[in-house]
Amino acid sequence: MKVSVVICTYSMDRYDVFSECVDSVLAQTYDPLEVVIVVDGNDPVFERVTDEYGDCENVVLHCNDENQGISYSRTRGAEIATGDVVAFIDDDGVAEADWIAELAGVYEETDAIAVGGHVKPDWVTEKPDFFPAEFYWLVGCDERGFGEHMEELRNTYGSNISYRRDVFLSVGGYDENTGRKGDRHIQAHEAPVCIRIANKYGKGVIYNKEAVVHHKLFGYRGDFRWLVGRSFWQGYSKRIMDLLLPEASGDKNEYLGQLLLEFVPSRLRSLFREPSAPKMKQLVTIFVFTAAVGFGYLYGLIQSNNSLVSEPAVTDSRTDTDDA
């Protein structure tokens, strides 16, 4: 079974990180493997990619004519790919050597049509002591309580997910109205395609925790104000998803219940037993982030009479390709 790994990139700012990602995929123990690199409308980046990887065996390069966004680029990469399975990793992720072997093993041993893996946080700077494990989904990593090994989930995160290529393309791939593109902040672009797959084939994504990608978290992702803003836009995105795909409404609602009825009480008990400043900060942060998500959802509710894809500009210009 041939596996194609699609890696999309568009900026020169973190080219060294992108290179580390590509090198980790080229070093996979699995064979046969194809690597499809899609540069999203940046000619200087494509020229450098061509210089460094153009002569590599089983590497296919493509450059979009203009910036089209992560969803378009990933779908285009899947169309170009020739593998039976197409896997996706963010350009700031680093795969463990057996990542593809672990994903492929599930396809070979079961009737799975989509398989995802564990996304581990890799803090480039020191992890902020206020950051709660329950909100790693804000930065595209597996949060506390995400799922059990080999459990069937609606979807895993974008830096570690794969599909049978024919299945993925049969439902149209990723929705171009979701995912990152410039200032646009409609997140969670894995959800729509996985819901369409579930509706058509009756199956979800098998979660293999042994298939591991380390997702680099740069300093700004530990900035409290940035994370509050991220929470707001995640709430807004959830409202858009509820309108586009009502089937998506239950997933985060269930997690909210688990957060408030299980995780918060357990944190309170731990805080009373062994008080500490980080524990208190994380508990407060959970409520702040949850409130920001709620305000974002409310904003989306107010805006729901407008076009679903017409979004206000966002002032934060820092690049972030995650879709939690």
Side-chain angles (χ1 to χ4, degrees):
M1 182 178 66
K2 183 177 181 180
V3 177
S4 299
V5 179
V6 175
I7 308 170
C8 304
T9 194
Y10 66 96
S11 173
M12 196 70 80
D13 293 343
R14 296 203 305 261
Y15 188 90
D16 56 334
V17 177
F18 158 74
S19 294
E20 188 176 357
C21 172
V22 175
D23 292 345
S24 75
V25 175
L26 291 174
Q28 291 295 298
T29 59
Y30 185 84
D31 186 66
L33 183 72
E34 175 184 63
V35 180
V36 179
I37 300 175
V38 179
V39 177
D40 194 12
N42 189 324
D43 290 335
V45 171
F46 186 67
E47 290 173 6
R48 185 168 177 182
V49 169
T50 301
D51 289 342
E52 295 190 14
Y53 297 105
D55 295 331
C56 294
E57 187 177 0
N58 298 324
V59 173
V60 179
L61 307 180
H62 173 77
C63 185
N64 297 332
D65 293 334
E66 59 182 358
N67 183 259
Q68 300 278 2
I70 185 68
S71 293
Y72 174 93
S73 297
R74 285 190 162 191
T75 302
R76 186 73 186 102
E79 292 169 345
I80 295 168
T82 59
D84 305 290
V85 167
V86 59
F88 298 97
I89 183 173
D90 287 346
D91 64 354
D92 53 2
V94 176
E96 293 193 355
D98 62 348
W99 172 52
I100 292 300
E102 286 288 347
L103 295 179
V106 180
Y107 288 106
E108 292 168 346
E109 296 168 10
T110 72
D111 61 352
I113 60 175
V115 183
H118 182 36
V119 183
K120 284 188 175 182
D122 179 14
W123 289 94
V124 175
T125 56
E126 185 177 357
K127 175 186 175 292
D129 63 357
F130 67 80
F131 195 101
E134 290 86 347
F135 274 82
Y136 266 121
W137 59 273
L138 281 179
V139 290
C141 298
D142 295 0
E143 71 273 9
R144 179 184 180 187
F146 179 70
E148 299 296 329
H149 180 58
M150 300 305 291
E151 181 182 358
E152 184 175 309
L153 305 176
R154 186 188 70 184
N155 62 271
T156 56
Y157 293 125
S159 199
N160 194 345
I161 194 165
S162 68
Y163 313 87
R164 292 195 183 274
R165 179 173 172 271
D166 58 346
V167 168
F168 178 76
L169 294 178
S170 74
V171 299
Y174 287 114
D175 185 341
E176 293 176 33
N177 289 323
T178 64
R180 290 286 304 190
K181 181 181 179 182
D183 289 333
R184 193 175 63 197
H185 271 239
I186 300 180
Q187 308 293 338
H189 75 155
E190 271 68 51
V193 67
C194 290
I195 288 172
R196 293 198 303 273
I197 287 173
N199 288 342
K200 183 172 182 177
Y201 296 95
K203 295 181 180 181
V205 181
I206 303 300
Y207 178 47
N208 182 357
K209 293 187 74 170
E210 302 300 320
V212 179
V213 167
H214 299 266
H215 192 189
K216 291 189 181 296
L217 301 179
F218 297 91
Y220 72 87
R221 293 182 186 176
D223 179 80
F224 186 79
R225 291 182 61 186
W226 184 87
L227 288 163
V228 172
R230 176 82 164 175
S231 300
F232 178 89
W233 289 111
Q234 288 288 352
Y236 175 83
S237 299
K238 174 164 175 49
R239 173 56 183 165
I240 299 303
M241 287 297 101
D242 287 353
L243 290 171
L244 291 172
L245 290 163
E247 307 98 310
S249 61
D251 187 66
K252 286 304 180 187
N253 292 340
E254 291 177 8
Y255 185 71
L256 179 62
Q258 186 181 32
L259 178 68
L260 297 180
L261 299 177
E262 179 182 342
F263 297 153
V264 167
S266 71
R267 280 185 171 274
L268 283 169
R269 291 191 294 268
S270 176
L271 181 63
F272 287 133
R273 285 195 303 265
E274 298 181 38
S276 71
K279 287 182 180 180
M280 177 59 75
K281 290 178 184 178
Q282 289 176 28
L283 187 60
V284 171
T285 298
I286 286 174
F287 288 109
V288 173
F289 287 175
T290 301
V293 171
F295 282 122
Y297 189 89
L298 180 61
Y299 179 77
L301 197 63
I302 294 170
Q303 295 291 318
S304 61
N305 289 331
N306 299 330
S307 170
L308 293 182
V309 296
S310 177
E311 294 190 286
V314 178
T315 56
D316 190 342
S317 61
R318 287 172 288 197
T319 57
D320 187 1
T321 58
D322 299 335
D323 295 286

